[in-house]
Amino acid sequence: MLTRLSVSGFKNLVDTQVSFGPFTCIAGANGVGKSNLFDAIQFLSNLATYSLQEAGAKVRDESGRAGDLKSLFSRTGDTYADIMAFEAEMIIPPNGLDDLGQRAEAQITFLRYRLELSYEEESTISTMGRLVIRKEELTPISIGDAHGKLGFLHRPDWRNSVVNGRRTSPFISTTDGPAGAIIQRHQVGNQGRTWQYIASTLPRTLLSNINSSESSTAVLAKHELQSWRLLQMEPSALRQPDSIDSASHLTSNGLHLPATLYRMARQGADSVETDAQYARISNRLAEMNEDVRRVMIERDDKRALLTLQVEDRGGTRHSARALSDGTLRFLALTVIEEDTQLGGVLCLEEPENGIHPERIQAMIRLLQDISTDPMEPVGPDNPLRQVIINTHSPVVVQVVPDDSLVVAERVMMAGANKKATSSVQFSALADTWRTKNERSLPTVQKGKLLAYLGGAGLVDIAEESAADTERRPQPKRVIDRSDMQMQFKLFAADDES
């Protein structure tokens, strides 16, 4: 779980700092930099798996394609930032499996990861420009500091279930050496050995290359970073059948939906539990499409295929190819919500795409239910999952919980050579936890938010049913705030006149 991210020198993220709760919605107009924050999260995730060059090449440019490495750095005119810096505070699982399938136990589960990179033109090491590590650190955050750093509303039993262990010394640190920065890996124990590496020659981060015998905690931190995913579920992938021996985990683009659902349904001890799993998926999907009666996976042993089928209230079965894009995405998210094997950070861009405005509230409820419930201890029925979305939809902004909303705005600030540079500023609603804790965000100006919301008019947001409230008590929405009600009424009156 990513609890805070600080970024500087990456694209238009300059001295950017955002704290995250279990569910976060980042709203703003197109082109202000919402997607750059997702790119920073994905970049850190890729650095835990790939080399510096490969991870950098995977970052998209403004056109959505892979850009050159130098373009990753913030730019003022023709001048690029010297350093790209990241600092992520995260909660990792207390145990898991290492890269060889061996059990790994974390010494402490609340960690801070720092990474600084620079760009080097061709040199004796490389005939092409390359990324160079200037600093890498993995350090513990004590249990005593956890309460102050987890600003979102949560119960102590939830915090105690995810923040535990003890350690004061770093797992990875950086020091100065004759040849420049030296990255140090520290063995467990006060008398443990320290390994040293010249930072400028490392082709990848030290964290990405650690195994369990060196540090179980660092391995689990690496796996946590690797679990941060940008979901870009494509309808063409969601419609694909699976072979019986396909991988049974949903990919970021939506492949293996039938195999994943089939595996989840078959995990039950008997046919009753299998039917109950399909029933839960079906009932949730009916919130999006009320004509849905039943969801199932058809197994064809002759062709060795698994095919998604949806039965309507008239008894007619439809394959995934006949379902709308919005229904397919909602179904995939429903499967994610039921799949307790899936954890980590899930980022989604504009989840309202393909969804009728009247159904957007059901989508937001589902995304909240995917994320961990901070009012209950983490366990099999409440996995440590986190959802971060971005949007420019007024309807989404109206219905998200007010303490989950972060607003992105483009600002001009002084850059290199005193030239103005475009950056993104993140702010939050007044009297929410992000504006009241030790790392407060600026308070979004009400006039800007209301103008943004009123520009597209308001929709009639239905009240939540008793069943929805029982599933998880819903916090106050933006549209429910007393300081917004009068303005919403004024906009609604203008729309009617």
Side-chain angles (χ1 to χ4, degrees):
M1 179 176 181
L2 175 63
T3 61
R4 185 180 72 92
L5 180 64
S6 176
V7 185
S8 187
F10 178 81
K11 294 192 170 186
N12 77 332
L13 303 181
V14 180
D15 297 328
T16 297
Q17 180 173 279
V18 182
S19 294
F20 298 96
F23 173 71
T24 302
C25 173
I26 301 170
N30 286 332
V32 300
K34 305 187 304 295
S35 295
N36 290 342
L37 188 65
F38 279 6
D39 287 342
I41 293 172
Q42 193 63 49
F43 183 44
L44 281 175
S45 178
N46 287 335
L47 284 168
T49 300
Y50 303 102
S51 70
L52 299 173
Q53 308 301 92
E54 291 173 308
K58 289 178 178 292
V59 180
R60 56 192 171 177
D61 63 14
E62 293 179 357
S63 64
R65 299 171 299 184
D68 66 272
L69 298 179
K70 196 170 186 177
S71 69
L72 301 182
F73 292 77
S74 300
R75 185 177 65 175
T76 303
D78 295 328
T79 303
Y80 290 87
D82 295 326
I83 296 291
M84 185 195 315
F86 304 86
E87 181 175 295
E89 292 181 0
M90 57 186 171
I91 298 173
I92 67 172
N95 53 64
L97 299 179
D98 66 15
D99 297 335
L100 296 177
Q102 305 304 302
R103 188 170 179 81
E105 300 278 350
Q107 265 192 303
I108 191 165
T109 60
F110 202 5
L111 301 169
R112 180 182 295 107
Y113 182 61
R114 293 190 182 97
L115 183 67
E116 292 185 5
L117 304 172
S118 66
Y119 180 80
E120 184 181 84
E121 302 287 356
E122 63 177 75
S123 64
T124 55
I125 295 178
S126 174
T127 58
M128 300 174 59
R130 67 187 187 103
L131 296 176
V132 178
I133 298 175
R134 298 303 181 191
K135 177 182 288 187
E136 185 177 8
E137 298 176 347
L138 182 67
T139 55
I141 300 175
S142 70
I143 293 177
D145 290 337
H147 184 268
K149 294 184 181 298
L150 301 176
F152 56 88
L153 182 64
H154 64 277
R155 287 183 176 168
D157 54 353
W158 178 87
R159 186 173 71 249
N160 294 337
S161 70
V162 297
V163 179
N164 49 68
R166 183 183 300 276
R167 180 173 168 125
T168 57
S169 57
F171 298 94
I172 299 174
S173 66
T174 301
T175 188
D176 292 328
I182 300 294
I183 312 297
Q184 301 181 120
R185 173 172 59 81
H186 305 276
Q187 194 175 41
V188 174
N190 293 330
Q191 303 302 318
R193 179 182 170 188
T194 296
W195 285 262
Q196 297 188 339
Y197 307 86
I198 300 173
S200 61
T201 62
L202 288 173
R204 58 195 304 138
T205 64
L206 191 58
L207 184 66
S208 70
N209 207 39
I210 283 180
N211 59 50
S212 183
S213 64
E214 297 164 346
S215 173
S216 292
T217 305
V219 166
L220 293 172
K222 175 177 71 172
H223 290 176
E224 172 64 22
L225 286 167
Q226 291 171 336
S227 74
W228 299 356
R229 298 195 292 166
L230 175 61
L231 296 183
Q232 295 177 304
M233 292 179 291
E234 302 167 1
S236 58
L238 292 167
R239 291 188 170 96
Q240 292 294 319
D242 278 323
S243 62
I244 290 176
D245 59 353
S246 288
S248 59
H249 292 277
L250 197 66
T251 64
S252 294
N253 69 348
L255 283 174
H256 306 314
L257 177 58
T260 303
L261 181 51
Y262 186 73
R263 182 256 303 166
M264 291 165 54
R266 300 292 292 179
Q267 283 175 345
D270 51 37
S271 60
V272 174
E273 290 188 24
T274 296
D275 291 343
Q277 178 71 82
Y278 283 132
R280 288 193 296 272
I281 298 288
S282 304
N283 292 339
R284 195 71 192 244
L285 184 59
E287 296 181 22
M288 175 60 57
N289 185 342
E290 59 189 17
D291 196 39
V292 171
R293 179 182 177 186
R294 190 159 59 122
V295 176
M296 70 212 78
I297 299 298
E298 181 182 84
R299 176 172 173 143
D300 185 338
D301 287 316
K302 289 184 178 180
R303 295 188 298 163
L305 284 181
L306 301 172
T307 306
L308 176 67
Q309 299 283 331
V310 175
E311 183 178 292
D312 64 25
R313 293 189 179 276
T316 303
R317 290 191 178 187
H318 307 273
S319 71
R321 297 183 182 278
L323 301 179
S324 69
D325 294 357
T327 298
L328 279 169
R329 290 193 182 100
F330 194 90
L331 174 58
L333 290 171
T334 300
V335 169
I336 289 173
E337 196 252 328
E338 288 286 328
D339 189 0
T340 57
Q341 292 187 13
L342 191 148
V345 180
L346 305 177
C347 299
L348 291 89
E349 292 190 307
E350 302 176 6
E352 70 276 6
N353 282 348
I355 306 296
H356 190 278
E358 291 181 356
R359 305 296 188 187
I360 285 178
Q361 185 156 258
M363 170 65 82
I364 297 302
R365 261 194 321 266
L366 173 57
L367 293 171
Q368 288 179 258
D369 287 344
I370 290 174
S371 61
T372 185
D373 184 353
M375 297 294 108
E376 300 290 339
V378 164
D381 296 327
N382 186 31
L384 186 59
R385 279 193 304 232
Q386 184 177 26
V387 175
I388 307 172
I389 67 172
N390 70 28
T391 184
H392 56 77
S393 165
V395 181
V396 172
V397 173
Q398 290 174 47
V399 301
V400 296
D402 66 348
D403 68 350
S404 73
L405 181 65
V406 174
V407 177
E409 301 175 79
R410 186 185 297 276
V411 295
M412 300 302 294
M413 58 190 304
N417 301 323
K418 298 183 179 180
K419 293 183 178 180
T421 184
S422 175
S423 182
V424 58
Q425 175 180 283
F426 295 94
S427 53
L429 291 172
D431 299 320
T432 55
W433 66 271
R434 287 187 179 87
T435 58
K436 295 191 295 186
N437 66 12
E438 61 184 35
R439 297 160 170 170
S440 295
L441 286 181
T443 299
V444 62
Q445 296 180 26
K446 191 187 308 179
K448 289 186 178 181
L449 180 60
L450 291 171
Y452 166 65
L453 293 178
L458 301 179
V459 297
D460 183 21
I461 304 298
E463 292 298 320
E464 300 187 66
S465 67
D468 295 330
T469 304
E470 289 174 4
R471 182 186 297 119
R472 181 190 289 191
Q474 299 298 306
K476 180 172 62 178
R477 302 170 298 180
V478 172
I479 199 172
D480 297 326
R481 286 174 61 100
S482 59
D483 60 343
M484 308 291 275
Q485 283 292 306
M486 182 58 68
Q487 299 293 336
F488 282 133
K489 290 176 182 178
L490 289 174
F491 279 125
D494 289 343
D495 291 339
E496 292 172 0
S497 61

